[in-house]
Coordinates of all heavy atoms in Angstrom, one line a residue:
M12 N 0.8 -1.2 0.0 CA 0.0 0.0 0.0 C 0.9 1.2 0.0 O 1.8 1.4 0.8 CB -0.9 0.0 1.3 CG -2.0 0.9 1.1 SD -2.9 1.1 2.7 CE -4.3 0.0 2.4
P13 N 0.6 2.2 -0.9 CA 1.5 3.3 -1.0 C 1.3 4.3 0.2 O 0.2 4.4 0.7 CB 1.2 4.0 -2.3 CG -0.2 3.5 -2.6 CD -0.4 2.2 -1.9
R14 N 2.3 4.9 0.6 CA 2.2 5.8 1.7 C 1.4 7.0 1.2 O 1.4 7.4 0.1 CB 3.6 6.3 2.2 CG 4.3 5.2 2.9 CD 5.7 5.7 3.2 NE 5.7 6.9 4.1 CZ 6.0 6.9 5.4 NH1 6.4 5.7 5.9 NH2 5.9 7.9 6.1
S15 N 0.7 7.6 2.1 CA -0.1 8.8 1.8 C 0.8 9.9 1.2 O 2.0 10.0 1.7 CB -0.9 9.3 2.9 OG 0.0 9.8 3.9
N16 N 0.3 10.6 0.3 CA 1.2 11.5 -0.5 C 1.2 12.9 0.2 O 0.6 13.8 -0.4 CB 0.6 11.6 -1.9 CG 1.7 11.6 -2.9 OD1 2.9 11.7 -2.5 ND2 1.4 11.6 -4.2
R17 N 1.8 12.9 1.3 CA 1.8 14.2 2.0 C 2.7 15.2 1.3 O 3.8 14.8 0.9 CB 2.3 14.0 3.4 CG 1.2 13.7 4.4 CD 1.6 14.2 5.8 NE 3.0 13.9 6.1 CZ 3.4 13.8 7.3 NH1 2.6 13.9 8.3 NH2 4.7 13.6 7.6
P18 N 2.3 16.4 1.2 CA 3.2 17.4 0.5 C 4.5 17.5 1.4 O 4.4 17.5 2.6 CB 2.4 18.7 0.5 CG 1.3 18.5 1.3 CD 1.0 17.0 1.5
K19 N 5.6 17.7 0.8 CA 6.8 17.8 1.5 C 6.9 19.2 2.3 O 6.4 20.2 1.7 CB 8.0 17.7 0.6 CG 8.5 16.3 0.4 CD 9.8 16.3 -0.3 CE 10.1 14.9 -1.0 NZ 10.7 15.0 -2.2
R20 N 7.4 19.2 3.4 CA 7.5 20.4 4.2 C 8.6 21.2 3.6 O 9.7 20.8 3.4 CB 7.9 20.1 5.6 CG 7.1 20.7 6.6 CD 7.3 20.0 8.0 NE 6.1 19.8 8.6 CZ 5.6 20.7 9.6 NH1 6.4 21.7 9.9 NH2 4.5 20.5 10.2
K21 N 8.3 22.4 3.3 CA 9.3 23.4 2.8 C 9.8 24.2 3.9 O 9.1 24.4 4.9 CB 8.7 24.3 1.7 CG 8.3 23.6 0.5 CD 8.0 24.6 -0.6 CE 6.9 25.6 -0.2 NZ 5.6 25.3 -0.6
K22 N 11.0 24.6 3.8 CA 11.6 25.5 4.8 C 10.7 26.8 4.8 O 10.4 27.3 3.8 CB 13.0 25.9 4.4 CG 13.7 26.4 5.6 CD 15.2 26.7 5.2 CE 15.8 27.4 6.5 NZ 16.9 28.3 6.1
G23 N 10.3 27.2 6.0 CA 9.6 28.4 6.1 C 8.1 28.2 6.1 O 7.3 29.2 6.2
D24 N 7.6 26.9 6.0 CA 6.2 26.7 6.1 C 5.5 27.2 7.3 O 4.4 27.5 7.3 CB 6.0 25.2 5.9 CG 5.7 24.8 4.5 OD1 5.8 25.7 3.6 OD2 5.5 23.6 4.2
E25 N 6.3 27.2 8.4 CA 5.6 27.5 9.7 C 5.4 29.0 9.8 O 4.6 29.5 10.6 CB 6.5 27.1 10.8 CG 6.6 25.6 11.0 CD 7.7 25.0 10.1 OE1 8.4 25.8 9.5 OE2 7.7 23.8 10.0
V26 N 6.1 29.8 8.9 CA 5.9 31.2 9.0 C 4.7 31.7 8.1 O 4.8 31.5 6.9 CB 7.2 31.9 8.6 CG1 7.0 33.5 8.7 CG2 8.4 31.5 9.4
P27 N 3.7 32.2 8.7 CA 2.6 32.6 7.9 C 3.0 33.8 7.1 O 3.8 34.6 7.4 CB 1.5 33.0 8.9 CG 2.2 33.2 10.2 CD 3.5 32.5 10.2
E28 N 2.3 33.9 5.9 CA 2.6 35.0 5.0 C 2.2 36.3 5.7 O 1.2 36.3 6.4 CB 1.9 34.9 3.7 CG 2.7 34.1 2.7 CD 1.9 34.0 1.4 OE1 1.7 35.1 0.9 OE2 1.6 32.9 0.9
L29 N 2.9 37.4 5.5 CA 2.5 38.6 6.0 C 1.2 39.0 5.5 O 1.0 39.0 4.3 CB 3.6 39.7 5.7 CG 4.9 39.6 6.4 CD1 5.8 40.7 5.9 CD2 4.7 39.7 7.9
N30 N 0.3 39.4 6.4 CA -1.0 39.8 5.9 C -1.1 41.3 5.9 O -1.2 41.9 7.0 CB -2.1 39.2 6.8 CG -3.5 39.5 6.4 OD1 -3.7 40.5 5.7 ND2 -4.4 38.7 6.7
L31 N -1.0 41.9 4.8 CA -0.9 43.4 4.7 C -2.1 44.1 5.2 O -2.1 45.2 5.8 CB -0.6 43.8 3.3 CG 0.8 43.5 2.7 CD1 0.9 43.9 1.3 CD2 1.8 44.2 3.6
D32 N -3.3 43.4 5.1 CA -4.5 44.0 5.6 C -4.4 44.2 7.1 O -4.8 45.2 7.7 CB -5.7 43.2 5.3 CG -6.1 43.3 3.8 OD1 -5.7 44.3 3.2 OD2 -6.8 42.4 3.3
V33 N -3.9 43.2 7.8 CA -3.8 43.2 9.2 C -2.8 44.3 9.6 O -3.0 45.1 10.5 CB -3.3 41.9 9.8 CG1 -2.9 42.0 11.3 CG2 -4.4 40.9 9.6
I34 N -1.7 44.4 8.9 CA -0.7 45.5 9.2 C -1.3 46.8 9.0 O -1.1 47.7 9.8 CB 0.5 45.2 8.3 CG1 1.2 44.0 8.8 CG2 1.5 46.4 8.4 CD1 2.3 43.5 7.9
R35 N -2.0 47.0 7.9 CA -2.6 48.3 7.6 C -3.6 48.7 8.7 O -3.8 49.8 9.1 CB -3.3 48.3 6.3 CG -2.3 48.5 5.1 CD -3.0 48.9 3.9 NE -2.2 48.5 2.7 CZ -2.4 47.4 2.0 NH1 -3.4 46.7 2.3 NH2 -1.6 47.1 1.0
A36 N -4.4 47.7 9.1 CA -5.4 47.9 10.1 C -4.9 48.1 11.5 O -5.6 48.5 12.4 CB -6.4 46.8 10.1
G37 N -3.6 47.8 11.7 CA -3.1 47.9 13.0 C -3.2 46.5 13.6 O -4.0 45.7 13.3
I38 N -2.3 46.3 14.6 CA -2.3 45.0 15.2 C -3.0 45.0 16.5 O -2.8 45.9 17.4 CB -0.8 44.5 15.4 CG1 -0.2 44.3 14.0 CG2 -0.7 43.2 16.2 CD1 1.3 44.3 14.0
K39 N -3.9 44.1 16.7 CA -4.7 44.1 17.9 C -4.1 43.2 18.9 O -3.7 42.1 18.6 CB -6.1 43.6 17.5 CG -7.2 44.3 18.3 CD -8.6 43.6 18.0 CE -9.4 44.3 16.9 NZ -10.7 43.7 16.7
K40 N -4.1 43.6 20.2 CA -3.6 42.7 21.2 C -4.3 43.1 22.5 O -5.1 44.1 22.5 CB -2.1 42.9 21.4 CG -1.7 44.4 21.6 CD -0.2 44.5 21.8 CE 0.1 46.0 22.0 NZ 1.5 46.3 22.5
T41 N -4.0 42.4 23.5 CA -4.7 42.8 24.8 C -3.6 43.1 25.8 O -2.5 42.6 25.8 CB -5.6 41.6 25.4 OG1 -4.8 40.5 25.5 CG2 -6.7 41.4 24.5
E42 N -3.9 44.0 26.7 CA -3.0 44.5 27.7 C -3.7 44.6 29.0 O -4.9 45.0 29.0 CB -2.4 45.9 27.3 CG -1.1 45.8 26.7 CD -0.6 47.2 26.4 OE1 -0.5 48.0 27.3 OE2 -0.3 47.5 25.2
F43 N -3.1 44.4 30.1 CA -3.7 44.6 31.4 C -3.1 45.9 32.0 O -1.9 46.1 32.0 CB -3.4 43.4 32.3 CG -4.2 42.2 32.1 CD1 -3.9 41.3 31.2 CD2 -5.5 42.1 32.7 CE1 -4.7 40.2 30.9 CE2 -6.3 41.0 32.5 CZ -5.9 40.0 31.6
K44 N -4.0 46.7 32.6 CA -3.6 47.8 33.3 C -4.5 47.8 34.6 O -5.7 47.8 34.5 CB -3.9 49.1 32.5 CG -2.8 49.4 31.5 CD -3.0 50.7 30.8 CE -2.1 50.9 29.6 NZ -0.7 51.2 29.9
N45 N -3.8 47.8 35.7 CA -4.6 47.8 37.0 C -5.6 46.7 37.0 O -6.7 46.8 37.5 CB -5.3 49.1 37.2 CG -4.4 50.1 37.9 OD1 -3.5 49.7 38.6 ND2 -4.8 51.4 37.8
G46 N -5.2 45.5 36.5 CA -6.1 44.4 36.5 C -7.3 44.5 35.5 O -8.1 43.6 35.5
V47 N -7.3 45.5 34.7 CA -8.4 45.6 33.7 C -7.8 45.2 32.4 O -6.7 45.6 32.0 CB -8.9 47.1 33.6 CG1 -10.0 47.2 32.6 CG2 -9.5 47.5 35.0
E48 N -8.5 44.3 31.7 CA -8.0 43.9 30.4 C -8.5 44.8 29.3 O -9.7 45.1 29.2 CB -8.5 42.5 30.1 CG -7.9 41.9 28.8 CD -8.4 40.4 28.6 OE1 -9.3 40.0 29.3 OE2 -7.8 39.8 27.7
Y49 N -7.6 45.3 28.5 CA -8.0 46.2 27.4 C -7.6 45.5 26.1 O -6.6 44.9 26.0 CB -7.2 47.5 27.5 CG -7.6 48.3 28.7 CD1 -6.9 48.4 29.8 CD2 -8.9 49.0 28.7 CE1 -7.3 49.2 30.9 CE2 -9.3 49.8 29.7 CZ -8.5 49.8 30.9 OH -8.9 50.6 31.9
V50 N -8.4 45.8 25.1 CA -8.0 45.5 23.7 C -7.3 46.7 23.2 O -7.9 47.8 23.3 CB -9.3 45.1 22.9 CG1 -8.8 44.8 21.4 CG2 -10.0 44.0 23.5
V51 N -6.2 46.5 22.6 CA -5.3 47.7 22.2 C -5.0 47.5 20.7 O -4.6 46.4 20.3 CB -4.0 47.7 23.0 CG1 -3.2 48.9 22.6 CG2 -4.3 47.7 24.5
Q52 N -5.2 48.5 20.0 CA -5.0 48.5 18.6 C -4.2 49.8 18.2 O -4.6 50.8 18.6 CB -6.3 48.4 17.9 CG -6.2 48.1 16.4 CD -7.5 47.6 15.8 OE1 -8.5 47.9 16.4 NE2 -7.4 47.0 14.7
T53 N -3.2 49.6 17.4 CA -2.5 50.8 16.9 C -3.1 51.2 15.6 O -3.6 50.3 14.8 CB -1.0 50.5 16.7 OG1 -0.8 49.4 15.9 CG2 -0.3 50.2 18.0
T54 N -3.1 52.4 15.3 CA -3.6 52.9 14.0 C -2.7 54.0 13.5 O -2.1 54.7 14.3 CB -5.1 53.4 14.2 OG1 -5.5 54.0 13.0 CG2 -5.2 54.4 15.3
T55 N -2.7 54.1 12.2 CA -1.9 55.1 11.6 C -2.7 56.4 11.6 O -2.1 57.5 11.4 CB -1.5 54.8 10.1 OG1 -2.8 54.7 9.4 CG2 -0.8 53.5 10.0
G56 N -4.0 56.4 11.8 CA -4.8 57.6 11.9 C -5.0 58.2 10.5 O -5.5 59.3 10.4
S57 N -4.6 57.5 9.5 CA -4.6 58.1 8.1 C -5.7 57.5 7.2 O -5.7 57.7 6.0 CB -3.2 58.0 7.5 OG -2.9 56.6 7.4
R58 N -6.6 56.7 7.8 CA -7.7 56.2 7.0 C -8.5 57.3 6.5 O -8.9 58.2 7.2 CB -8.5 55.2 7.8 CG -7.9 53.8 7.8 CD -8.7 52.9 8.8 NE -10.1 53.1 8.6 CZ -11.0 52.5 9.4 NH1 -10.5 51.6 10.3 NH2 -12.3 52.6 9.3
A59 N -8.9 57.2 5.2 CA -9.6 58.3 4.6 C -11.0 58.6 5.2 O -11.5 59.7 5.2 CB -9.8 57.9 3.1
D60 N -11.6 57.5 5.8 CA -12.9 57.7 6.4 C -12.8 58.2 7.9 O -13.8 58.4 8.5 CB -13.7 56.4 6.3 CG -13.0 55.2 6.8 OD1 -11.8 55.2 6.9 OD2 -13.7 54.3 7.2
D61 N -11.6 58.3 8.4 CA -11.5 58.7 9.7 C -11.3 60.3 9.7 O -10.3 60.8 10.1 CB -10.2 58.1 10.4 CG -10.5 56.7 10.9 OD1 -11.7 56.4 11.0 OD2 -9.6 56.0 11.3
D62 N -12.4 60.9 9.4 CA -12.3 62.3 9.2 C -12.7 63.1 10.5 O -13.6 63.9 10.5 CB -13.1 62.8 8.0 CG -12.8 64.2 7.6 OD1 -11.7 64.7 8.0 OD2 -13.6 64.8 6.9
K63 N -12.1 62.7 11.6 CA -12.5 63.4 12.8 C -11.2 63.5 13.7 O -10.2 62.9 13.5 CB -13.6 62.6 13.5 CG -13.3 61.2 13.8 CD -14.5 60.6 14.5 CE -14.3 59.1 14.5 NZ -15.5 58.4 15.2
V64 N -11.4 64.3 14.7 CA -10.3 64.6 15.6 C -10.7 63.9 16.9 O -11.8 64.0 17.4 CB -10.2 66.1 15.8 CG1 -9.1 66.4 16.9 CG2 -9.8 66.8 14.5
W65 N -9.7 63.3 17.5 CA -9.9 62.6 18.8 C -9.2 63.4 19.9 O -8.2 64.0 19.7 CB -9.4 61.2 18.8 CG -9.9 60.4 17.7 CD1 -11.2 59.7 17.7 CD2 -9.3 60.0 16.4 NE1 -11.3 59.1 16.5 CE2 -10.2 59.2 15.7 CE3 -8.1 60.4 15.8 CZ2 -10.0 58.8 14.4 CZ3 -7.8 59.9 14.6 CH2 -8.8 59.1 13.9
K66 N -9.8 63.3 21.1 CA -9.1 63.9 22.2 C -8.6 62.8 23.1 O -9.3 61.9 23.5 CB -10.2 64.7 23.0 CG -9.5 65.6 24.1 CD -10.5 66.4 24.8 CE -10.3 67.9 24.5 NZ -11.1 68.8 25.3
C67 N -7.3 62.9 23.4 CA -6.7 61.9 24.2 C -7.1 62.0 25.6 O -7.0 63.1 26.2 CB -5.2 62.0 24.0 SG -4.2 61.1 25.2
P68 N -7.7 61.0 26.3 CA -8.2 61.2 27.6 C -7.1 61.3 28.7 O -7.4 61.6 29.8 CB -9.0 59.9 27.8 CG -8.5 58.9 26.9 CD -7.9 59.7 25.7
H69 N -5.9 61.0 28.3 CA -4.8 61.1 29.2 C -4.2 62.5 29.4 O -4.0 63.0 30.5 CB -3.7 60.1 28.8 CG -2.6 60.0 29.9 ND1 -2.8 59.4 31.1 CD2 -1.3 60.4 29.9 CE1 -1.7 59.4 31.8 NE2 -0.8 60.0 31.1
C70 N -4.0 63.2 28.3 CA -3.4 64.5 28.3 C -4.4 65.6 27.9 O -4.1 66.8 28.0 CB -2.2 64.6 27.4 SG -2.5 64.4 25.7
N71 N -5.6 65.2 27.5 CA -6.7 66.1 27.0 C -6.3 67.0 25.9 O -6.8 68.0 25.7 CB -7.1 67.0 28.2 CG -8.2 66.3 29.0 OD1 -9.0 65.7 28.5 ND2 -8.1 66.5 30.3
Q72 N -5.3 66.4 25.1 CA -4.9 67.1 23.8 C -5.5 66.4 22.7 O -5.8 65.2 22.7 CB -3.4 67.2 23.7 CG -2.7 67.8 24.8 CD -2.8 69.3 24.9 OE1 -2.6 70.0 23.9 NE2 -3.2 69.8 26.1
N73 N -5.8 67.1 21.6 CA -6.3 66.5 20.4 C -5.2 65.7 19.7 O -4.1 66.0 19.8 CB -6.8 67.5 19.4 CG -8.1 68.1 19.9 OD1 -8.8 67.6 20.7 ND2 -8.4 69.3 19.4
I74 N -5.7 64.6 19.1 CA -4.8 63.8 18.3 C -5.0 64.2 16.8 O -6.1 64.1 16.3 CB -5.1 62.3 18.5 CG1 -4.8 61.9 19.9 CG2 -4.2 61.5 17.5 CD1 -5.3 60.5 20.2
A75 N -4.0 64.8 16.2 CA -4.2 65.3 14.9 C -4.4 64.2 13.9 O -3.8 63.1 14.0 CB -2.9 66.1 14.5
K76 N -5.2 64.5 12.9 CA -5.4 63.5 11.8 C -4.1 63.1 11.2 O -3.2 63.9 11.0 CB -6.3 64.1 10.8 CG -6.8 63.2 9.7 CD -7.8 63.9 8.9 CE -8.0 63.1 7.5 NZ -8.5 61.8 7.7
G77 N -3.9 61.8 11.0 CA -2.7 61.3 10.4 C -1.6 61.0 11.4 O -0.5 60.6 11.0
T78 N -1.9 61.2 12.7 CA -1.0 60.8 13.7 C -1.2 59.4 14.1 O -2.3 59.0 14.5 CB -1.2 61.7 14.9 OG1 -1.1 63.1 14.5 CG2 -0.1 61.4 16.0
A79 N -0.1 58.6 14.1 CA -0.2 57.2 14.5 C -0.5 57.3 16.0 O 0.1 58.0 16.8 CB 1.1 56.5 14.3
H80 N -1.5 56.5 16.4 CA -1.8 56.5 17.8 C -2.4 55.1 18.2 O -2.4 54.2 17.5 CB -2.8 57.6 18.1 CG -4.1 57.6 17.4 ND1 -4.3 58.0 16.1 CD2 -5.3 57.1 17.8 CE1 -5.5 57.8 15.8 NE2 -6.2 57.2 16.8
T81 N -2.9 55.1 19.5 CA -3.3 53.8 20.0 C -4.8 53.9 20.3 O -5.3 54.9 20.9 CB -2.6 53.5 21.3 OG1 -1.2 53.4 21.0 CG2 -3.0 52.2 22.0
V82 N -5.6 52.9 20.0 CA -7.0 52.8 20.3 C -7.1 51.7 21.3 O -6.6 50.6 21.1 CB -7.8 52.5 19.0 CG1 -9.3 52.6 19.4 CG2 -7.5 53.6 18.0
A83 N -7.8 52.0 22.4 CA -8.0 51.0 23.4 C -9.4 51.0 24.0 O -10.0 52.0 24.0 CB -7.0 51.2 24.5
W84 N -9.9 49.8 24.3 CA -11.2 49.7 25.0 C -11.2 48.6 25.9 O -10.4 47.6 25.8 CB -12.3 49.7 24.0 CG -12.4 48.5 23.1 CD1 -13.1 47.3 23.3 CD2 -11.7 48.3 21.8 NE1 -12.9 46.5 22.2 CE2 -12.1 47.0 21.3 CE3 -10.8 49.1 21.1 CZ2 -11.6 46.6 20.1 CZ3 -10.3 48.6 19.9 CH2 -10.7 47.4 19.4
D85 N -12.1 48.6 26.9 CA -12.2 47.6 27.9 C -12.7 46.3 27.2 O -13.8 46.3 26.6 CB -13.2 48.1 28.9 CG -13.3 47.2 30.1 OD1 -13.2 46.0 30.0 OD2 -13.5 47.8 31.2
A86 N -11.9 45.3 27.4 CA -12.2 44.0 26.7 C -13.5 43.4 27.3 O -14.1 42.5 26.6 CB -11.0 43.0 26.9
H87 N -13.9 43.8 28.5 CA -15.1 43.1 29.1 C -16.3 44.0 29.0 O -17.3 43.7 29.6 CB -14.7 42.7 30.5 CG -13.7 41.6 30.5 ND1 -13.9 40.3 30.0 CD2 -12.4 41.7 30.8 CE1 -12.7 39.7 30.1 NE2 -11.8 40.5 30.6
R88 N -16.1 45.2 28.5 CA -17.3 46.1 28.2 C -17.4 46.2 26.7 O -16.6 45.6 26.0 CB -17.1 47.4 29.0 CG -17.2 47.2 30.5 CD -16.4 48.2 31.2 NE -17.2 49.5 31.2 CZ -16.6 50.7 31.5 NH1 -15.3 50.7 31.8 NH2 -17.3 51.8 31.5
D89 N -18.2 47.1 26.3 CA -18.3 47.1 24.8 C -17.4 48.2 24.3 O -16.8 49.0 25.0 CB -19.8 47.3 24.4 CG -20.4 48.6 25.0 OD1 -20.1 49.7 24.5 OD2 -21.2 48.4 25.9
V90 N -17.5 48.4 23.0 CA -16.5 49.3 22.3 C -16.9 50.7 22.5 O -16.2 51.6 22.1 CB -16.4 49.0 20.8 CG1 -15.7 47.7 20.6 CG2 -17.7 49.1 20.1
S91 N -18.0 51.0 23.3 CA -18.3 52.4 23.6 C -17.3 52.9 24.6 O -17.2 54.1 24.7 CB -19.7 52.5 24.2 OG -19.8 51.9 25.4
T92 N -16.5 52.0 25.2 CA -15.4 52.5 26.0 C -14.2 52.8 25.2 O -13.1 53.1 25.8 CB -15.1 51.4 27.1 OG1 -14.6 50.2 26.4 CG2 -16.3 51.1 28.0
R93 N -14.3 52.7 23.9 CA -13.1 52.9 23.1 C -12.6 54.3 23.2 O -13.4 55.3 23.0 CB -13.4 52.5 21.7 CG -12.2 52.4 20.8 CD -12.6 51.7 19.5 NE -13.5 52.6 18.7 CZ -13.8 52.4 17.5 NH1 -13.3 51.4 16.8 NH2 -14.7 53.2 16.9
R94 N -11.3 54.5 23.4 CA -10.7 55.8 23.4 C -9.4 55.8 22.6 O -8.8 54.8 22.4 CB -10.3 56.2 24.9 CG -11.5 56.3 25.8 CD -12.4 57.5 25.4 NE -13.5 57.6 26.4 CZ -14.7 57.0 26.2 NH1 -14.9 56.3 25.1 NH2 -15.7 57.2 27.0
H95 N -9.1 57.0 22.1 CA -7.9 57.2 21.3 C -6.8 57.9 22.1 O -7.1 58.9 22.7 CB -8.2 58.0 20.1 CG -9.2 57.3 19.1 ND1 -8.7 56.8 17.9 CD2 -10.5 57.1 19.2 CE1 -9.8 56.2 17.3 NE2 -10.9 56.4 18.1
F96 N -5.7 57.3 22.2 CA -4.6 57.8 23.0 C -3.4 58.1 22.1 O -3.1 57.3 21.2 CB -4.1 56.8 24.0 CG -5.1 56.4 25.1 CD1 -6.1 55.6 24.9 CD2 -4.9 57.0 26.4 CE1 -7.0 55.3 25.9 CE2 -5.8 56.7 27.4 CZ -6.8 55.8 27.2
H97 N -2.6 59.1 22.5 CA -1.3 59.2 21.9 C -0.5 58.0 22.4 O -0.7 57.5 23.5 CB -0.5 60.4 22.4 CG -1.2 61.7 22.0 ND1 -1.9 62.5 22.9 CD2 -1.2 62.4 20.9 CE1 -2.4 63.6 22.3 NE2 -2.0 63.5 21.1
N98 N 0.4 57.5 21.5 CA 1.1 56.3 21.9 C 1.8 56.4 23.3 O 1.7 55.5 24.1 CB 2.1 55.9 20.8 CG 1.4 55.4 19.6 OD1 0.3 54.9 19.6 ND2 2.1 55.5 18.4
P99 N 2.6 57.4 23.5 CA 3.2 57.5 24.9 C 2.2 57.7 26.0 O 2.4 57.3 27.1 CB 4.1 58.8 24.8 CG 3.8 59.5 23.5 CD 3.0 58.5 22.6
C100 N 1.1 58.3 25.7 CA 0.0 58.5 26.7 C -0.6 57.2 27.1 O -0.8 56.9 28.3 CB -1.1 59.4 26.2 SG -0.5 61.1 26.1
W101 N -0.8 56.3 26.1 CA -1.3 55.0 26.5 C -0.4 54.2 27.4 O -0.7 53.6 28.3 CB -1.6 54.2 25.2 CG -2.0 52.8 25.5 CD1 -1.2 51.7 25.3 CD2 -3.1 52.3 26.2 NE1 -1.8 50.5 25.8 CE2 -3.0 50.9 26.4 CE3 -4.3 52.9 26.8 CZ2 -4.0 50.1 27.0 CZ3 -5.2 52.2 27.4 CH2 -5.1 50.8 27.5
K102 N 0.9 54.4 27.1 CA 1.9 53.7 27.9 C 1.9 54.1 29.3 O 2.0 53.3 30.3 CB 3.3 53.9 27.3 CG 3.6 53.1 26.1 CD 5.1 52.9 25.9 CE 5.4 52.1 24.6 NZ 5.1 52.8 23.4
S103 N 1.7 55.4 29.6 CA 1.7 55.9 30.9 C 0.3 55.9 31.6 O 0.1 56.1 32.8 CB 2.3 57.3 31.0 OG 1.7 58.1 30.1
F104 N -0.8 55.6 30.7 CA -2.1 55.6 31.3 C -2.3 54.4 32.2 O -1.9 53.3 31.9 CB -3.1 55.5 30.1 CG -4.5 55.3 30.5 CD1 -5.3 56.4 31.0 CD2 -5.2 54.1 30.4 CE1 -6.6 56.3 31.3 CE2 -6.5 53.9 30.7 CZ -7.2 55.0 31.2
Q105 N -2.8 54.7 33.4 CA -3.0 53.6 34.3 C -4.4 53.6 34.9 O -4.7 52.8 35.8 CB -2.0 53.7 35.5 CG -0.5 53.3 35.1 CD -0.4 51.9 34.5 OE1 -1.1 51.0 34.9 NE2 0.6 51.7 33.6
G106 N -5.2 54.5 34.5 CA -6.5 54.6 35.0 C -7.5 53.7 34.4 O -7.1 52.8 33.6
K107 N -8.7 53.9 34.7 CA -9.8 53.1 34.1 C -10.5 54.0 33.0 O -10.6 55.2 33.2 CB -10.8 52.6 35.1 CG -10.1 51.6 36.0 CD -11.1 51.0 36.9 CE -10.4 49.9 37.7 NZ -11.2 49.3 38.8
L108 N -11.0 53.3 32.0 CA -11.7 54.1 31.0 C -13.1 54.3 31.5 O -13.7 53.4 32.2 CB -11.8 53.3 29.7 CG -10.5 53.1 29.0 CD1 -10.7 52.2 27.8 CD2 -10.0 54.4 28.5
L109 N -13.6 55.5 31.3 CA -15.0 55.8 31.8 C -16.0 55.2 30.9 O -15.8 55.0 29.7 CB -15.2 57.3 31.9 CG -14.2 58.0 32.9 CD1 -14.4 59.5 32.8 CD2 -14.5 57.5 34.3
Ligands
ZN219 ZN1 -2.2 62.2 24.9

């Protein structure tokens, strides 16, 4: 009986191809701050349909359009808790999202 014709493993098979859509959309991950789990996503802020200005809740300054920044929301609440932070502000943010 012939052995099953498994395709040969090529070098690099384990590495998934880069998904440009994911990179463009930002990479989503989770982070804990003060025991609260947040979904964190980076964004370039340059999407054509993002025609608005966000106010960073950490420093109360606006995030200019086209500025790479961090979007975070409470993983156990809904996305209405989503806030836009400057990247360094998110790093130092330790409070809870309202
Ligand atoms: Zn800020």
Side-chain angles (χ1 to χ4, degrees):
M12 197 188 260
R14 291 174 61 106
S15 66
N16 220 354
R17 270 208 322 204
K19 272 190 199 144
R20 232 166 220 263
K21 295 191 302 263
K22 199 178 174 212
D24 265 2
E25 292 83 9
V26 180
E28 274 184 57
L29 288 178
N30 184 335
L31 288 179
D32 286 339
V33 169
I34 290 170
R35 280 195 205 100
I38 295 162
K39 217 187 262 184
K40 55 180 180 165
T41 56
E42 260 182 57
F43 281 90
K44 283 186 190 284
N45 270 341
V47 180
E48 186 177 12
Y49 292 104
V50 181
V51 182
Q52 192 166 16
T53 55
T54 170
T55 61
S57 58
R58 274 171 45 180
D60 54 334
D61 277 346
D62 194 19
K63 54 181 170 182
V64 175
W65 302 282
K66 189 179 246 188
C67 170
H69 187 68
C70 66
N71 274 321
Q72 305 287 311
N73 288 339
I74 298 172
K76 188 172 163 59
T78 303
H80 62 277
T81 300
V82 183
W84 63 96
D85 189 321
H87 297 288
R88 289 155 75 196
D89 59 75
V90 292
S91 67
T92 60
R93 193 167 65 168
R94 296 292 181 271
H95 295 254
F96 292 79
H97 297 104
N98 289 338
C100 289
W101 171 250
K102 284 203 177 74
S103 50
F104 175 76
Q105 289 299 331
K107 292 189 174 169
L108 292 176
L109 297 176

